[in-house]
């Protein structure tokens, strides 16, 4: 079984998370809305996501469970699996570039002591189940200069010395995301997601190696 992501690109939007929320009912599972630039890109809490236009990946995935989504229903108590799916997909994507990454609790991706990716996950609930999840991701790809108030950013280009096509890179990431999402369908897959997440996760009071 395979899930193919439909990717819709925009030059400018306020927020890809907001765009997915507006259209969630009409989007197929693992559909993606991506933007060259967000005017109101958001991070966790009150944080904003800084990204130069066209240099990075700023996008949101509509992740759906149950029904005809090809994914088993997901209980609210198991919603951490959404973070696990996404972070594992990001680790696999970065490993494809020769980059070893770790997960800073709950939803940032670090390489060494530098942040390369952030996520904003917003779940839509139906009683005791997650009917859909709005998974917003900002992944630094080609940017090499950052605002001074960002203390520790990095990018794929800074780490590899190469330029990348953001559209091709998004397609590659989506293939890893579909692979990881399907693991939620089995108890064995869910245990694997838990194990990998715990293996590579660290908290603020524990520095990454």
């Amino acid at each position: 079984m395979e899930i193919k992501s439909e990717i819709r690109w925009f030059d400018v939007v306020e927020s890809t998370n907001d765009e997915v929320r507006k259209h969630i009912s009409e989007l197929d599972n693992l559909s993606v809305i991506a933007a060259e630039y967000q005017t109101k890109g958001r991070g966790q809490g009150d944080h904003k996501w800084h990204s130069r236009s066209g240099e990075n990946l700023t996008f949101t995935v509509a992740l759906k469970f149950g029904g005809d989504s090809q994914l088993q229903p997901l209980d609210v108590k198991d919603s951490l699996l959404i973070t696990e799916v996404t972070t594992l997909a990001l680790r696999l994507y970065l490993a494809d570039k020769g980059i070893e990454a770790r997960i800073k609790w709950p939803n940032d991706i670090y390489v060494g002591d530098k942040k390369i990716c952030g996520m904003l996950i917003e779940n839509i609930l139906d009683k005791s189940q997650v009917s859909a999840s709005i998974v917003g991701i900002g992944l630094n790809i080609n940017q090499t200069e950052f605002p001074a108030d960002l203390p520790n950013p990095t990018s794929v280009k800074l780490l590899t010395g190469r330029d990348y096509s953001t559209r091709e890179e998004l397609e590659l990431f989506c293939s890893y995301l579909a692979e990881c999402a399907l693991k939620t369908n089995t108890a064995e897959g869910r245990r694997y997601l838990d194990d990998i997440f715990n293996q590579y996760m660290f908290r603020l009071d524990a520095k990454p190696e």
Side-chain angles (χ1 to χ4, degrees):
M1 179 168 51
E2 183 179 356
I3 309 175
K4 179 68 174 177
S5 295
E6 177 190 357
I7 302 174
R8 304 181 188 180
W9 277 94
F10 295 85
D11 290 334
V12 180
V13 298
E14 288 190 352
S15 160
T16 56
N17 269 37
D18 291 347
E19 286 298 312
V20 167
R21 183 176 291 278
K22 289 177 190 175
H23 302 286
I24 191 70
S25 63
E26 64 201 61
L27 293 173
D28 292 332
N29 192 22
L30 288 177
S31 292
V32 177
I33 289 181
E36 299 287 350
Y37 184 70
Q38 295 183 102
T39 60
K40 296 182 180 179
R42 292 179 287 135
Q44 193 72 12
D46 295 329
H47 296 163
K48 293 182 179 180
W49 183 259
H50 298 274
S51 178
R52 284 188 173 179
S53 179
E55 293 191 0
N56 303 314
L57 285 175
T58 51
F59 64 98
T60 299
V61 182
L63 190 57
K64 298 185 175 184
F65 299 90
D68 59 358
S69 70
Q70 296 182 275
L71 299 179
Q72 297 295 319
L74 182 68
D75 291 339
V76 171
K77 64 181 178 62
D78 297 322
S79 59
L80 180 61
L81 282 166
I82 298 165
T83 299
E84 294 176 352
V85 162
T86 310
T87 53
L88 176 56
L90 286 161
R91 267 190 49 82
L92 291 172
Y93 164 80
L94 291 168
D96 185 83
K97 310 300 179 196
I99 298 170
E100 176 70 18
R102 293 184 69 181
I103 306 152
K104 183 177 78 65
W105 175 264
N107 52 11
D108 289 334
I109 303 296
Y110 270 59
V111 179
D113 62 352
K114 295 184 180 296
K115 180 176 175 178
I116 195 169
C117 178
M119 293 179 290
L120 177 62
I121 297 175
E122 302 172 299
N123 294 327
I124 298 174
L125 308 182
D126 182 7
K127 297 180 180 178
S128 65
Q129 293 188 332
V130 178
S131 61
S133 187
I134 298 169
V135 181
I137 297 174
L139 176 60
N140 295 332
I141 300 292
N142 292 317
Q143 189 166 342
T144 58
E145 296 180 358
F146 295 87
D149 60 341
L150 297 182
N152 58 348
T154 191
S155 68
V156 177
K157 181 177 179 178
L158 283 172
L159 294 166
T160 67
R162 293 181 52 197
D163 284 299
Y164 297 88
S165 162
T166 53
R167 299 197 179 212
E168 290 177 3
E169 296 309 307
L170 182 52
E171 290 182 3
L172 177 60
F173 168 76
C174 287
S175 68
Y176 285 121
L177 184 63
E179 173 188 333
C180 294
L182 288 169
K183 293 185 183 300
T184 64
N185 283 343
T186 66
E188 180 183 6
R190 292 184 177 202
R191 284 194 298 271
Y192 176 78
L193 291 168
D194 284 340
D195 289 345
I196 293 295
F197 185 78
N198 289 323
Q199 180 180 350
Y200 291 103
M201 185 270 293
F202 70 95
R203 297 176 186 270
L204 281 175
D205 57 355
K207 295 181 179 179
E209 299 174 356

